[in-house]
Amino acid sequence: GENVEQHPSTLSVQEGDSAVIKCTYSDSASNYFPWYKQELGKGPQLIIDIRSNVGEKKDQRIAVTLNKTAKHFSLHITETQPEDSAVYFCAASLGGADGLTFGKGTHLIIQP
Amino acid sequence: ETGVTQTPRHLVMGMTNKKSLKCEQHLGHNAMYWYKQSAKKPLELMFVYNFKEQTENNSVPSRFSPECPNSSHLFLHLHTLQPEDSALYLCASSLEGSTGELFFGEGSRLTVL
């Protein structure tokens, strides 16, 4: 089955700096890669996703890049703000929601 | 408000108790899920209901039993749990044939004494 590794487990950055979280996956057939953000006391919420037919996707301060050859994908957050503090999860699947395999999560801390 | 409501938000139970977690979705979705979230571990899929057909993770102990009476409601019945079952239990829903996005509830924090 699919295995997703996520690094780092904790990331502390100064407000205004950029943050990068990286994930690798094992199943070359995986073609859907979402990122979820979980704030304290809440459930995870989708913030951005990418499919294997594109290499990069942007949404304002958030971007995701995918390298299918190396089987890794990354989340980039620019101009970080205090409200970006949360736990971020990457995931991979063959396209369906019921096949998602999640990483262990990254606790992002934005220092004022 | 995500459209997925879980009750109770917090539950403390002894190992001999029987309790149930409830989930309700108001999004018109046709698939519902139970996930277990433990510290420093990946989200663990426990059960999936697609069009009311159940698929389960074979590693889930029988002391957890799901029930899906209709496409809007999902229950997780708990009995004779162990302290290691203490975790956040997340319900999610999705629309089959769509993008694959999961919509999560806020979770039920379970503590087993």
Side-chain angles (χ1 to χ4, degrees):
Chain A
E2 176 67 279
N3 182 49
V4 176
E5 298 286 341
Q6 183 172 348
H7 300 280
S9 56
T10 304
L11 177 61
S12 181
V13 302
Q14 289 295 125
E15 182 178 349
D17 289 349
S18 295
V20 181
I21 303 170
K22 299 182 179 182
C23 289
T24 60
Y25 60 99
S26 60
D27 189 345
S28 57
S30 289
N31 59 12
Y32 175 60
F33 308 93
W35 285 89
Y36 284 80
K37 174 184 181 182
Q38 186 175 24
E39 297 176 350
L40 194 62
K42 304 229 173 137
Q45 185 170 11
L46 180 73
I47 56 171
I48 195 167
D49 57 13
I50 192 168
R51 296 191 182 271
S52 59
N53 56 346
V54 297
E56 183 175 2
K57 184 176 178 181
K58 275 187 176 181
D59 183 2
Q60 298 183 345
R61 296 186 297 109
I62 294 172
V64 56
T65 58
L66 172 65
N67 184 326
K68 287 170 54 181
T69 304
K71 289 188 285 188
H72 66 70
F73 57 113
S74 301
L75 178 70
H76 305 254
I77 305 174
T78 58
E79 301 172 16
T80 53
Q81 299 169 5
E83 55 263 36
D84 295 329
S85 293
V87 180
Y88 292 81
F89 294 93
C90 63
S93 83
L94 293 172
D98 60 351
L100 280 172
T101 300
F102 285 86
K104 291 185 179 181
T106 296
H107 186 192
L108 177 62
I109 301 166
I110 308 302
Q111 303 278 8
Chain B
E1 175 58 53
T2 65
V4 179
T5 305
Q6 290 188 241
T7 54
R9 293 293 311 277
H10 299 273
L11 178 63
V12 179
M13 59 187 289
M15 290 191 286
T16 58
N17 292 156
K18 288 185 181 181
K19 297 285 184 184
S20 296
L21 307 180
K22 179 183 176 182
C23 177
E24 185 173 359
Q25 60 96 0
H26 312 277
L27 301 170
H29 290 167
N30 51 17
M32 296 188 76
Y33 311 77
W34 281 116
Y35 279 87
K36 178 181 179 181
Q37 186 173 34
S38 304
K40 301 189 178 178
K41 288 187 178 180
L43 284 165
E44 177 188 346
L45 178 63
M46 300 176 73
F47 301 103
V48 181
Y49 275 88
N50 284 321
F51 303 101
K52 299 183 72 175
E53 289 185 2
Q54 178 193 331
T55 304
E56 66 184 85
N57 181 338
N58 290 330
S59 68
V60 177
S62 59
R63 55 187 183 266
F64 294 92
S65 58
E67 178 189 0
C68 189
N70 55 60
S71 60
S72 299
H73 294 85
L74 184 65
F75 296 88
L76 187 62
H77 302 300
L78 318 169
H79 61 100
T80 58
L81 294 191
Q82 303 298 310
E84 60 265 30
D85 297 323
S86 298
L88 182 69
Y89 289 85
L90 290 162
C91 173
S93 68
S94 71
L95 185 62
E96 285 301 295
S98 69
T99 60
E101 180 177 358
L102 287 172
F103 291 78
F104 285 91
E106 296 189 326
S108 294
R109 173 69 62 184
L110 173 66
T111 302
V112 182
L113 301 176

PDB file of all heavy atoms in Angstrom, chain B residues 36 44-47 55-64 85:
ATOM      1  N   LYS B  36      -9.310   7.896  13.131  1.00  0.00           N
ATOM      2  CA  LYS B  36      -8.741   8.013  14.463  1.00  0.00           C
ATOM      3  C   LYS B  36      -7.489   8.881  14.371  1.00  0.00           C
ATOM      4  O   LYS B  36      -6.621   8.657  13.506  1.00  0.00           O
ATOM      5  CB  LYS B  36      -8.361   6.635  15.010  1.00  0.00           C
ATOM      6  CG  LYS B  36      -7.710   6.661  16.387  1.00  0.00           C
ATOM      7  CD  LYS B  36      -7.333   5.257  16.852  1.00  0.00           C
ATOM      8  CE  LYS B  36      -6.668   5.291  18.212  1.00  0.00           C
ATOM      9  NZ  LYS B  36      -6.272   3.919  18.672  1.00  0.00           N
ATOM     10  N   GLU B  44      -5.692   7.813  10.816  1.00  0.00           N
ATOM     11  CA  GLU B  44      -5.910   6.397  10.534  1.00  0.00           C
ATOM     12  C   GLU B  44      -7.369   6.189  10.123  1.00  0.00           C
ATOM     13  O   GLU B  44      -8.280   6.445  10.912  1.00  0.00           O
ATOM     14  CB  GLU B  44      -5.598   5.563  11.771  1.00  0.00           C
ATOM     15  CG  GLU B  44      -5.856   4.075  11.616  1.00  0.00           C
ATOM     16  CD  GLU B  44      -5.718   3.319  12.933  1.00  0.00           C
ATOM     17  OE1 GLU B  44      -5.172   3.892  13.890  1.00  0.00           O
ATOM     18  OE2 GLU B  44      -6.171   2.169  13.007  1.00  0.00           O
ATOM     19  N   LEU B  45      -7.580   5.730   8.894  1.00  0.00           N
ATOM     20  CA  LEU B  45      -8.936   5.452   8.432  1.00  0.00           C
ATOM     21  C   LEU B  45      -9.456   4.189   9.098  1.00  0.00           C
ATOM     22  O   LEU B  45      -8.819   3.136   9.038  1.00  0.00           O
ATOM     23  CB  LEU B  45      -8.948   5.277   6.913  1.00  0.00           C
ATOM     24  CG  LEU B  45     -10.300   4.941   6.284  1.00  0.00           C
ATOM     25  CD1 LEU B  45     -11.299   6.076   6.503  1.00  0.00           C
ATOM     26  CD2 LEU B  45     -10.140   4.649   4.791  1.00  0.00           C
ATOM     27  N   MET B  46     -10.625   4.305   9.724  1.00  0.00           N
ATOM     28  CA  MET B  46     -11.225   3.155  10.402  1.00  0.00           C
ATOM     29  C   MET B  46     -12.313   2.511   9.542  1.00  0.00           C
ATOM     30  O   MET B  46     -12.299   1.301   9.319  1.00  0.00           O
ATOM     31  CB  MET B  46     -11.805   3.588  11.735  1.00  0.00           C
ATOM     32  CG  MET B  46     -10.815   4.193  12.705  1.00  0.00           C
ATOM     33  SD  MET B  46     -11.619   4.782  14.200  1.00  0.00           S
ATOM     34  CE  MET B  46     -12.005   3.246  15.037  1.00  0.00           C
ATOM     35  N   PHE B  47     -13.254   3.323   9.098  1.00  0.00           N
ATOM     36  CA  PHE B  47     -14.399   2.805   8.346  1.00  0.00           C
ATOM     37  C   PHE B  47     -14.804   3.798   7.275  1.00  0.00           C
ATOM     38  O   PHE B  47     -14.677   4.998   7.443  1.00  0.00           O
ATOM     39  CB  PHE B  47     -15.606   2.570   9.268  1.00  0.00           C
ATOM     40  CG  PHE B  47     -15.361   1.616  10.397  1.00  0.00           C
ATOM     41  CD1 PHE B  47     -15.150   2.091  11.678  1.00  0.00           C
ATOM     42  CD2 PHE B  47     -15.350   0.249  10.181  1.00  0.00           C
ATOM     43  CE1 PHE B  47     -14.921   1.220  12.728  1.00  0.00           C
ATOM     44  CE2 PHE B  47     -15.113  -0.641  11.219  1.00  0.00           C
ATOM     45  CZ  PHE B  47     -14.894  -0.150  12.502  1.00  0.00           C
ATOM     46  N   THR B  55     -16.837  -0.313   4.062  1.00  0.00           N
ATOM     47  CA  THR B  55     -15.498  -0.841   3.870  1.00  0.00           C
ATOM     48  C   THR B  55     -14.729  -0.528   5.140  1.00  0.00           C
ATOM     49  O   THR B  55     -14.834   0.568   5.662  1.00  0.00           O
ATOM     50  CB  THR B  55     -14.780  -0.154   2.688  1.00  0.00           C
ATOM     51  OG1 THR B  55     -15.569  -0.280   1.528  1.00  0.00           O
ATOM     52  CG2 THR B  55     -13.414  -0.764   2.469  1.00  0.00           C
ATOM     53  N   GLU B  56     -14.013  -1.479   5.661  1.00  0.00           N
ATOM     54  CA  GLU B  56     -13.321  -1.204   6.910  1.00  0.00           C
ATOM     55  C   GLU B  56     -11.843  -1.555   6.819  1.00  0.00           C
ATOM     56  O   GLU B  56     -11.422  -2.334   5.983  1.00  0.00           O
ATOM     57  CB  GLU B  56     -13.954  -1.964   8.057  1.00  0.00           C
ATOM     58  CG  GLU B  56     -13.835  -3.490   7.979  1.00  0.00           C
ATOM     59  CD  GLU B  56     -14.582  -4.154   9.127  1.00  0.00           C
ATOM     60  OE1 GLU B  56     -15.786  -4.357   8.988  1.00  0.00           O
ATOM     61  OE2 GLU B  56     -13.937  -4.446  10.133  1.00  0.00           O
ATOM     62  N   ASN B  57     -11.105  -0.926   7.695  1.00  0.00           N
ATOM     63  CA  ASN B  57      -9.713  -1.253   7.882  1.00  0.00           C
ATOM     64  C   ASN B  57      -9.660  -2.506   8.751  1.00  0.00           C
ATOM     65  O   ASN B  57     -10.148  -2.511   9.872  1.00  0.00           O
ATOM     66  CB  ASN B  57      -9.021  -0.071   8.568  1.00  0.00           C
ATOM     67  CG  ASN B  57      -7.555  -0.298   8.782  1.00  0.00           C
ATOM     68  OD1 ASN B  57      -7.085  -1.429   8.811  1.00  0.00           O
ATOM     69  ND2 ASN B  57      -6.817   0.783   8.944  1.00  0.00           N
ATOM     70  N   ASN B  58      -9.070  -3.562   8.232  1.00  0.00           N
ATOM     71  CA  ASN B  58      -9.093  -4.844   8.935  1.00  0.00           C
ATOM     72  C   ASN B  58      -8.342  -4.839  10.251  1.00  0.00           C
ATOM     73  O   ASN B  58      -8.476  -5.774  11.036  1.00  0.00           O
ATOM     74  CB  ASN B  58      -8.540  -5.953   8.025  1.00  0.00           C
ATOM     75  CG  ASN B  58      -9.478  -6.267   6.890  1.00  0.00           C
ATOM     76  OD1 ASN B  58     -10.682  -6.133   7.032  1.00  0.00           O
ATOM     77  ND2 ASN B  58      -8.931  -6.660   5.755  1.00  0.00           N
ATOM     78  N   SER B  59      -7.581  -3.794  10.493  1.00  0.00           N
ATOM     79  CA  SER B  59      -6.844  -3.741  11.753  1.00  0.00           C
ATOM     80  C   SER B  59      -7.661  -3.113  12.875  1.00  0.00           C
ATOM     81  O   SER B  59      -7.190  -3.030  14.004  1.00  0.00           O
ATOM     82  CB  SER B  59      -5.540  -2.977  11.555  1.00  0.00           C
ATOM     83  OG  SER B  59      -5.811  -1.613  11.300  1.00  0.00           O
ATOM     84  N   VAL B  60      -8.900  -2.661  12.588  1.00  0.00           N
ATOM     85  CA  VAL B  60      -9.719  -2.034  13.628  1.00  0.00           C
ATOM     86  C   VAL B  60     -10.329  -3.112  14.524  1.00  0.00           C
ATOM     87  O   VAL B  60     -10.985  -4.034  14.022  1.00  0.00           O
ATOM     88  CB  VAL B  60     -10.848  -1.185  13.005  1.00  0.00           C
ATOM     89  CG1 VAL B  60     -11.735  -0.585  14.089  1.00  0.00           C
ATOM     90  CG2 VAL B  60     -10.257  -0.088  12.123  1.00  0.00           C
ATOM     91  N   PRO B  61     -10.137  -3.008  15.838  1.00  0.00           N
ATOM     92  CA  PRO B  61     -10.679  -4.028  16.754  1.00  0.00           C
ATOM     93  C   PRO B  61     -12.203  -4.050  16.729  1.00  0.00           C
ATOM     94  O   PRO B  61     -12.854  -3.034  16.470  1.00  0.00           O
ATOM     95  CB  PRO B  61     -10.158  -3.577  18.121  1.00  0.00           C
ATOM     96  CG  PRO B  61      -9.029  -2.648  17.837  1.00  0.00           C
ATOM     97  CD  PRO B  61      -9.332  -1.998  16.533  1.00  0.00           C
ATOM     98  N   SER B  62     -12.747  -5.201  17.055  1.00  0.00           N
ATOM     99  CA  SER B  62     -14.206  -5.374  17.008  1.00  0.00           C
ATOM    100  C   SER B  62     -14.922  -4.598  18.106  1.00  0.00           C
ATOM    101  O   SER B  62     -16.151  -4.497  18.084  1.00  0.00           O
ATOM    102  CB  SER B  62     -14.553  -6.856  17.123  1.00  0.00           C
ATOM    103  OG  SER B  62     -14.049  -7.389  18.332  1.00  0.00           O
ATOM    104  N   ARG B  63     -14.186  -4.034  19.063  1.00  0.00           N
ATOM    105  CA  ARG B  63     -14.830  -3.212  20.094  1.00  0.00           C
ATOM    106  C   ARG B  63     -15.313  -1.876  19.520  1.00  0.00           C
ATOM    107  O   ARG B  63     -15.995  -1.111  20.201  1.00  0.00           O
ATOM    108  CB  ARG B  63     -13.879  -2.988  21.274  1.00  0.00           C
ATOM    109  CG  ARG B  63     -12.544  -2.391  20.924  1.00  0.00           C
ATOM    110  CD  ARG B  63     -11.639  -2.381  22.161  1.00  0.00           C
ATOM    111  NE  ARG B  63     -10.353  -1.761  21.910  1.00  0.00           N
ATOM    112  CZ  ARG B  63      -9.269  -2.421  21.556  1.00  0.00           C
ATOM    113  NH1 ARG B  63      -9.334  -3.749  21.399  1.00  0.00           N
ATOM    114  NH2 ARG B  63      -8.124  -1.795  21.350  1.00  0.00           N
ATOM    115  N   PHE B  64     -14.960  -1.593  18.255  1.00  0.00           N
ATOM    116  CA  PHE B  64     -15.502  -0.451  17.533  1.00  0.00           C
ATOM    117  C   PHE B  64     -16.466  -0.981  16.476  1.00  0.00           C
ATOM    118  O   PHE B  64     -16.065  -1.802  15.641  1.00  0.00           O
ATOM    119  CB  PHE B  64     -14.399   0.338  16.818  1.00  0.00           C
ATOM    120  CG  PHE B  64     -13.425   1.004  17.738  1.00  0.00           C
ATOM    121  CD1 PHE B  64     -12.264   0.347  18.120  1.00  0.00           C
ATOM    122  CD2 PHE B  64     -13.661   2.274  18.224  1.00  0.00           C
ATOM    123  CE1 PHE B  64     -11.351   0.957  18.969  1.00  0.00           C
ATOM    124  CE2 PHE B  64     -12.762   2.893  19.072  1.00  0.00           C
ATOM    125  CZ  PHE B  64     -11.600   2.236  19.450  1.00  0.00           C
ATOM    126  N   ASP B  85      -7.155   3.321  23.351  1.00  0.00           N
ATOM    127  CA  ASP B  85      -8.149   3.804  22.399  1.00  0.00           C
ATOM    128  C   ASP B  85      -8.431   5.299  22.592  1.00  0.00           C
ATOM    129  O   ASP B  85      -9.167   5.902  21.800  1.00  0.00           O
ATOM    130  CB  ASP B  85      -9.456   3.023  22.533  1.00  0.00           C
ATOM    131  CG  ASP B  85      -9.281   1.550  22.193  1.00  0.00           C
ATOM    132  OD1 ASP B  85      -8.501   1.243  21.249  1.00  0.00           O
ATOM    133  OD2 ASP B  85      -9.902   0.704  22.871  1.00  0.00           O
TER     134      ASP B  85
END
